[in-house]
Amino acid sequence: MLRGTSSLISWVLSDGKAGDELQALSVAEALGLEPEIRRVRPGAPFTWAMPWGPIDPRERPGAPGSPTAGPYPDILIASGRRAVPYLRFVKRASGGRTYTVFLKDPRTGPETADFIWMPDYDRLRGPNVLTTLTPPHRVSARRIEAARTHPDPRLAALPHPRVAVLVGGDSRHHRFMERDIALFVERLTVLAESGAGLMMTASRRTPRPLREALTDLSGRHGAFFWDGSGENPYVALLGLADFIVATADSSNMIGEAAASGQPILVFEPSGGHPKLAVYMESLKAHGIVHPFDGRLVGRPYEPLNSTLKIAAAVVRGFSLHRRSLGLPDIAFSLEIS
């Protein structure tokens, strides 16, 4: 007998880190789930041993505001080092009934969860491990097409070629030094002076000097810069762009941009990481990304979105898990709104 996803209890579990939680919510959304968000906040000394150690006893079931209080979910999607002990705890506490999904390397081996998604550049492999080039996200073909069919009035009058400029900021591996900001703005100015319509958005991590420079650039050249007021035009930027400029500090942002099928020009601030370098080289090999030097280069390609592939693999594993427990199948409708 088939049941629908509305009958499932689902959790998204993380320590609240935005990137991790967004990926988990993206997979849950693709599965048609409406998960309960559980955020763990372990303290010292328990964080020192994570992901290998136990959960913080202050977050055990029965503790006020415990993220591990039941009833336990049918499916749990987790991400982040601090979430690993809690995922294992829920698996045991549910008597093995909860199907566990972990996104990215748990650092504790493939047996950590029933299903693990990994980016191609990480090394963990196993029969329950799926790797893809780009990470899961919420930018679907349907949303991009809707943005093209019904253009955001704030952007519709901008001239072609339209260039979406996706600006991240300082991270664990990258820093926008003064020279980086100057060079990035100089190259964007070249585009603006050539007649391109710039559509820019920044993030919470964008340093103030860079944000101020982008605001000034938009004022001088009639570009669009989202200042945080009104509806977030992020998907609209991707849908209306002929080219996309993105900073290299966020693999998630570049993965989202790849769902557009438009060439991505990548600006690399100071710093870097070997895994991110491998990621960029793989995307370059597919003709998706190109270095940003102030010119518009590259051609459209088949849009790349790994979210449905990841969700489909979760469905297969979850169905096998349910059958092993003698439980009825669940009917999933894999769509990303």
Side-chain angles (χ1 to χ4, degrees):
M1 171 175 136
L2 288 173
R3 297 162 58 201
T5 55
S6 61
S7 63
L8 290 178
I9 300 174
S10 57
W11 291 3
V12 158
L13 182 71
S14 78
D15 65 2
K17 183 180 177 183
D20 291 339
E21 194 167 284
L22 175 62
Q23 288 185 353
L25 286 169
S26 300
V27 174
E29 184 176 285
L31 293 168
L33 301 173
E34 296 182 4
E36 183 178 348
I37 298 175
R38 298 286 183 109
R39 295 189 179 117
V40 302
R41 295 179 174 86
F46 300 96
T47 54
W48 302 344
M50 291 180 176
W52 296 275
I55 70 169
D56 188 330
R58 291 166 288 193
E59 295 191 308
R60 67 190 184 281
S66 169
T68 59
Y72 293 113
D74 299 288
I75 182 168
L76 182 157
I77 305 172
S79 186
R81 175 176 62 88
R82 293 179 180 86
V84 172
Y86 294 83
L87 176 145
R88 292 195 304 250
F89 179 91
V90 171
K91 182 70 173 181
R92 291 192 301 268
S94 71
R97 185 176 180 278
T98 297
Y99 183 76
T100 54
V101 175
F102 195 85
L103 305 180
K104 297 192 292 192
D105 189 350
R107 307 185 193 180
T108 50
E111 68 282 354
T112 299
D114 295 307
F115 173 84
I116 296 173
W117 167 79
M118 298 279 297
D120 282 348
Y121 55 73
D122 271 323
R123 295 182 178 180
L124 183 68
R125 297 294 184 268
N128 62 327
V129 178
L130 173 71
T131 67
T132 62
L133 177 55
T134 57
H137 55 73
R138 287 171 145 170
V139 179
S140 67
R142 182 189 299 178
R143 294 181 68 192
I144 288 176
E145 183 56 34
R148 290 171 178 160
T149 305
H150 305 286
D152 188 317
R154 295 171 293 178
L155 307 172
L158 289 171
H160 290 275
R162 294 187 184 130
V163 182
V165 182
L166 313 179
V167 183
D170 295 338
S171 66
R172 280 196 304 164
H173 304 301
H174 287 94
R175 286 287 183 276
F176 278 85
M177 310 298 286
E178 185 176 341
R179 62 180 180 275
D180 298 316
I181 294 173
L183 183 60
F184 185 47
V185 173
E186 176 186 313
R187 291 176 179 178
L188 290 176
T189 300
V190 170
L191 291 185
E193 290 177 344
S194 74
L198 301 188
M199 310 176 293
M200 303 184 288
T201 183
S203 79
R204 289 174 294 180
R205 295 183 292 104
T206 305
R208 179 178 293 180
L210 176 53
R211 184 181 294 272
E212 291 175 348
L214 295 175
T215 300
D216 178 67
L217 174 63
S218 67
R220 286 186 290 109
H221 293 283
F224 172 83
F225 178 64
W226 187 54
D227 60 5
S229 62
E231 184 179 354
N232 188 333
Y234 188 80
V235 176
L237 266 61
L238 297 180
L240 296 176
D242 301 301
F243 295 85
I244 297 168
V245 172
T247 58
D249 51 278
S250 172
S251 59
N252 282 349
M253 190 165 65
I254 291 173
E256 290 165 347
S260 72
Q262 302 295 6
I264 304 171
L265 310 172
V266 177
F267 178 82
E268 299 199 26
S270 296
H273 189 276
K275 288 183 179 180
L276 290 174
V278 172
Y279 176 57
M280 292 300 176
E281 287 302 318
S282 297
L283 290 168
K284 287 177 185 177
H286 284 76
I288 295 172
V289 306
H290 313 269
F292 178 50
D293 61 4
R295 296 177 300 141
L296 297 178
V297 299
R299 297 181 179 180
Y301 49 87
E302 185 68 25
L304 178 62
N305 190 336
S306 302
T307 311
L308 279 179
K309 182 178 180 181
I310 297 166
V314 171
V315 169
R316 290 192 294 271
F318 182 67
S319 296
L320 290 172
H321 175 72
R322 298 276 294 184
R323 291 173 201 162
S324 72
L325 298 175
L327 297 171
D329 284 339
I330 299 294
F332 289 87
S333 177
L334 294 183
E335 287 190 299
I336 309 177
S337 61

